[in-house]
Amino acid sequence: MAYEEAKKRFRGSISPVITPFHEDEQIDFDKFKELINWQIESGSHGISVTGTSGEPSSMTVEEREMVMKTACKTVNGRVPFIPGTGSTNHQETLRLTKAAQEMGADGALVIVPYYNKPNQHALYRHFKAVADSVEIPIILYNIPGRTAVNLEVDTIASLAKDCPNIIGVKESNKDFEHVNKVLLKAGRDFNLYSGIEVLCYPMLAIGGAGHVSATANVAPKEVAELYNKWEAGDVEGAQDLHFGLMPLNNVLFRDTNPAPAKAALGMMGKIKPVLRKPLDVPSEKIQHDIRNTLTSYNLL
């Protein structure tokens, strides 16, 4: 029953909050807490950290645990807290997912292991072992553009069937046929989240549970309102927001995420726009375009 309740609670705009750094690339925990509070005050329905937007692969495991703990305390039960706990390393994934449970996280977002390109049987064994190691709900995270391997529909369906606490998947997958088949084979009560900005609205239309959109870092109110309007039956209003957000979505992905989002938040006075190497700030041309776009949205 707890997992069915989680499926109902984990809906809407789950914001994948960036990790702010000082000039020396150390974590700026004060700004981090400010960002989380701003997200919740702006209407985000959930908070996730240490996902792609949070630069987890540039952090030590200990740093990831500190970021997760800080976020968990800051959220303080106001909205669901679902940190990213996946890694290319299986043992690290187990450690971080267990840590999420121990600190009181509501669930965990677990990415397909990146770089090592496991086959589908290996992915099944990896995710099943992670799910079996904890009792909190698990959301799979499929992002083939980053991991070089796609979590196939049949693998997702098998995991949904065999692991009661695997309740959904974040699909950063531009293959809309694939995401339709996820709900067909895993069941329409399986929580499907869009991780592709232009598909946030279309996934709601086929029965998705919401979205985990990097754009929410910059425009949390509008990204949350897209879900609110759809849920309220305001189809035209949701469509207007879908198309209205497109220019912002486009400029925030002119360079590798989260570089444009951090540049934007820097211009908005929220953080210092520092990324950990090997990432760096966008080019001057892209920053110029980001500034013009933010101005057009009255975000500056």
Side-chain angles (χ1 to χ4, degrees), residues 255 259-260 262-263 272-275 278-284 286-287:
D255 198 349
K262 281 194 158 183
K272 289 184 174 68
V274 178
L275 293 101
L279 295 179
D280 203 354
V281 295
S283 69
E284 289 185 11
I286 293 176
Q287 290 195 52

Side-chain angles (χ1 to χ4, degrees), residues 201-249:
Y201 172 76
M203 282 203 201
L204 291 174
I206 63 169
H211 31 265
V212 188
S213 167
T215 301
N217 276 293
V218 177
K221 181 179 179 181
E222 291 78 5
V223 175
E225 192 63 16
L226 173 62
Y227 176 83
N228 292 340
K229 286 184 178 297
W230 173 261
E231 187 69 7
D234 183 2
V235 174
E236 186 175 349
Q239 289 175 342
D240 287 344
L241 264 176
H242 166 68
F243 288 106
L245 282 167
M246 276 190 181
L248 183 60
N249 291 334

Side-chain angles (χ1 to χ4, degrees), residues 9-40:
R9 284 189 67 223
F10 296 3
R11 300 184 70 84
S13 174
I14 300 170
S15 184
V17 181
I18 60 98
T19 306
F21 298 117
H22 294 288
E23 294 290 356
D24 62 359
E25 297 185 15
Q26 295 304 300
I27 299 166
D28 187 339
F29 286 102
D30 289 336
K31 289 295 184 185
F32 183 55
K33 289 184 278 190
E34 288 177 10
L35 288 176
I36 291 171
N37 285 326
W38 177 56
Q39 285 288 332
I40 296 172

Side-chain angles (χ1 to χ4, degrees), residues 60-74:
T60 66
V61 175
E62 291 76 17
E63 284 178 320
R64 289 184 65 173
E65 288 179 339
M66 285 192 294
V67 167
M68 288 162 55
K69 286 178 182 177
T70 300
C72 192
K73 289 180 180 177
T74 305

